Amino acid sequence: QAQLLESGGGSVQAGESLRLSCAVPGSVFAVNLMGWYRQAPGKQREMVAQVTHGGTANYGDSVKGRFTISRDNDKNTVYLQMDNLRLEDTGVYYCYATVFGAVGAPPADAWGQGTQVTVSS
């Protein structure tokens, strides 16, 4: 499974913002869906946001109106702008992408190593 390159996590106070980035390393033929999941302690992993190659975005209910996902197809990079962060946004955020490594190759799911986001009061 390919490893994506994440950056941007950290610790902030409630109401503040963070921006996460995630890049597909190396040369690939195409990248289809890209997005973010998160996992809080003791909870199941949940979808945060995802975006298609054409830019259609979908969000989890808990982040709608506060988070914005975007991507740069030339750089095979996805971003997650997180505004008005809440205590319940705390968790490990994982990016993922559906990658076509070469012409004719089947799609493969790639994941980042996870980045910690901690929101405190």
Side-chain angles (χ1 to χ4, degrees):
Q1 212 175 38
Q3 190 82 19
L4 306 181
L5 303 176
E6 296 184 21
S7 62
S11 297
V12 296
Q13 292 190 320
E16 295 184 340
S17 299
L18 278 175
R19 188 183 191 224
L20 306 182
S21 299
C22 173
V24 178
S27 178
V28 297
F29 174 65
V31 180
N32 193 1
L33 194 67
M34 302 186 80
W36 298 87
Y37 275 74
R38 70 185 180 189
Q39 188 162 20
K43 294 187 177 181
Q44 289 189 332
R45 190 175 293 192
E46 64 171 340
M47 193 276 289
V48 176
Q50 59 188 28
V51 60
T52 66
H53 186 273
T56 299
N58 185 36
Y59 296 92
D61 288 340
S62 62
V63 307
K64 286 180 180 177
R66 300 187 297 119
F67 291 11
T68 304
I69 190 170
S70 60
R71 63 189 285 172
D72 183 332
N73 290 330
D74 291 337
K75 297 180 179 179
N76 288 330
T77 299
V78 64
Y79 307 96
L80 186 67
Q81 177 66 39
M82 305 185 291
D83 296 321
N84 192 21
L85 282 160
R86 302 171 180 170
L87 300 181
E88 55 265 36
D89 294 319
T90 295
V92 180
Y93 284 67
Y94 300 90
C95 70
Y96 70 92
T98 303
V99 179
F100 294 83
V103 176
D109 289 336
W111 288 87
Q113 77 282 3
T115 185
Q116 177 70 42
V117 171
T118 303
V119 184
S120 59
S121 59

